Each structure stands twice: as structure tokens, then as C-alpha cells.
Amino acid sequence: MELKEVVHESIVKIFPESINQEEVLRHLSNLLLEEDYVKESFSRGVLKREREFPTGLELERIHVAIPHTEVEHVKEAAIAVGIVKQGTTFANMQNPLKSVKVHVVFMLALEKSESHMEILGKLMDMIQDDKILEKLIESNTASEVIQVIRNT
Amino acid sequence: MKRVAVCCGTGAATSTIAMSKLKAYIQENGLKVHLTQSRIPDITNRQSDFDFIVSTIAVPPSIKIKTLNALPLLTNMGKDKFFAEFEAALKE
């Protein structure tokens, strides 16, 4: 399964203004719910998990977050993408006391299956490319974000 | 043979990536080690079943055994150092 198969314009959002983490998480969960990729319980699961086990990843320059929750809240595989122009604070996955200023949020609605884990692997490979992250944060529309991901 | 738990918070996402990268490394290098994928909340009560833990998330104080940070397996940053520490932990 390819990344482009699980990221759709309908679940991509550009956040141009300064915004807090919880708002980003709620917004992206709502998009996933509206498009029927997740159950109603998904949003609560994501917020709870982020509080207990944060998902901020500190990379070389542009940092990301990969919020997700238990697979039982997922109906169909999808990855919602939030481009936070001003950056928003997430706690660091490895050291929750440290914060990370995140510009790209990948909200994962994935199940435990092999093909879904394959997609996650491809996402992890993609985020290691600073140039791709750069293109993502420069995107101003959902369509541009999809193009960047399609071209990886 | 050492028993290693590969963990994250939910037991599905990041631990699966860590598991597959570790398995590949072990096979390539002919290492003998028993890996178990799990979640931190589940192994808190069975720490004595393992020699050490490889975790993508920060472990709580209730985890007393040796823990290696598995994030390099996700982000590729500091991967060589991770594998060096992993092999050293196998020899302990």
C-alpha cells in the first residue's frame, strides 16, 4: 500500500494562524470522523494517548508529530495531515518533559495489519527527507500537500 | 539467548517499525536474541521476563530494567549509535 492511497485532500488541513496542539488534534480527528475513517471514540483516544504518551518527533530541522490511538477506534486506513504554519508545541516522544515545535502533524488512523504498518514505514522514511518536509510546510492548499506526497 | 521487549505506547504503530528494523539487523548480523513486541503498560508487571527493553516512548519510573531508546529506528538519526548500544547490551 502506498502513502498516497491513505492521504486524501478531504483530510488535509492548513493551519495558517497560531493554534494550540489540542485544537489541531480535534480538527484533524473531526476530518477523519466526517469522512468515516474512524469511530466517534477516536478523537478522545487520540487526545488521551497524546497526554500519556506524546508523539512529538524531533528531527533535524522541521519537526513532526504522529498522533494515533488504539486500533479499535479505526474503521478504514487513513492519515490526516495538518500543516501548522506557525508551529505548535508537542511533547517529545522520548522525553515528555521536553517540548518540540511541530510544523507537520500526521494523524494516523491505521490498524495492526501488515499493509498498514508498511505505510507507517513509508511515512517514517519520508519524514527523514528534510526537502520533502520543507515542501510540505510551504504548501498553501490541501491539493499542494497531496502533490508533494504523490511525488515522493 | 537474551530476551528483549520492543515497546511503544499502543503496541501497534511505532513498536512494529522498531521490530521490523531490529529483526532485519539481527538477521543481517547473525545475532541470537529473542524479541517480543509489546506495550509499556503491559510489561510493567513482567519486567523479569526480559533482559532489557527497546522502547520508542519514554519509560515511566515503574520500569526498572535497562531500556534503550528506539527512536533512532524510526527517524534514522543516531541509528549507528543505537545498534552499537544494542549489541553491547546483548553481551552484558
Side-chain angles (χ1 to χ4, degrees):
Chain A
M1 236 180 155
E2 294 294 328
L3 265 178
K4 57 191 179 204
E5 288 174 60
V6 294
V7 185
H8 315 280
E9 262 187 62
S10 55
I11 53 175
V12 173
K13 177 109 179 108
I14 313 284
F15 300 95
E17 321 260 290
S18 129
I19 186 171
N20 72 40
Q21 175 205 112
E22 198 175 302
E23 284 168 358
V24 176
L25 293 176
R26 282 191 195 281
H27 220 112
L28 293 178
S29 314
N30 278 342
L31 289 178
L32 287 168
L33 180 64
E34 274 166 27
E35 299 296 314
D36 213 24
Y37 291 110
V38 302
K39 300 181 188 169
E40 280 197 39
S41 51
F42 181 84
S43 177
R44 201 170 40 241
V46 167
L47 288 166
K48 181 166 177 275
R49 187 253 147 78
E50 195 61 39
R51 272 195 300 271
E52 284 177 332
F53 303 120
T55 64
L57 288 179
E58 194 173 10
L59 303 172
E60 267 175 79
R61 196 172 56 104
I62 299 167
H63 312 304
V64 308
I66 52 167
H68 54 279
T69 179
E70 263 88 15
V71 301
E72 72 210 44
H73 306 290
V74 175
K75 280 183 176 180
E76 213 184 301
I79 299 180
V81 182
I83 306 292
V84 190
K85 294 283 191 177
Q86 318 257 2
T88 189
T89 305
F90 271 76
N92 192 315
M93 195 185 272
Q94 253 302 318
N95 183 354
L97 297 175
K98 274 182 73 182
S99 57
V100 184
K101 192 166 184 195
V102 164
H103 281 87
V104 190
V105 178
F106 297 98
M107 181 171 285
L108 316 173
L110 298 175
E111 292 163 305
K112 249 180 173 152
S113 73
E114 206 175 302
S115 59
H116 290 193
M117 290 298 108
E118 209 187 307
I119 294 176
L120 183 55
K122 290 185 180 164
L123 178 66
M124 292 293 115
D125 287 340
M126 188 184 90
I127 65 172
Q128 280 158 40
D129 189 336
D130 194 59
K131 293 194 204 65
I132 296 181
L133 292 178
E134 173 94 53
K135 287 199 190 122
L136 283 175
I137 63 172
E138 281 170 2
S139 301
N140 289 312
T141 65
S143 160
E144 282 171 43
V145 169
I146 298 295
Q147 278 313 322
V148 173
I149 293 175
R150 275 228 168 113
N151 292 332
T152 58
Chain B
M1 196 158 72
K2 295 274 191 210
R3 304 149 304 163
V4 178
V6 182
C7 303
C8 69
T10 45
T14 53
S15 57
T16 305
I17 306 283
M19 255 319 241
S20 76
K21 299 259 163 107
L22 263 181
K23 272 190 195 158
Y25 185 81
I26 284 165
Q27 271 172 355
E28 275 164 38
N29 293 277
L31 298 173
K32 295 230 179 311
V33 53
H34 190 262
L35 298 179
T36 304
Q37 186 176 350
S38 185
R39 342 181 287 157
I40 290 293
D42 293 341
I43 62 158
T44 310
N45 296 325
R46 23 179 315 226
Q47 292 176 56
S48 50
D49 288 351
F50 302 101
D51 292 290
F52 64 93
I53 297 174
V54 168
S55 175
T56 58
I57 61 166
V59 297
S62 50
I63 299 289
K64 306 283 182 213
I65 65 174
K66 183 186 177 84
T67 305
L68 292 184
N69 171 5
L71 267 192
L73 294 173
L74 297 187
T75 61
N76 262 0
M77 286 164 54
K79 221 170 42 163
D80 295 332
K81 182 162 169 270
F82 169 83
F83 284 125
E85 283 177 5
F86 182 75
E87 291 210 41
L90 289 180
K91 296 196 178 105
E92 274 171 22

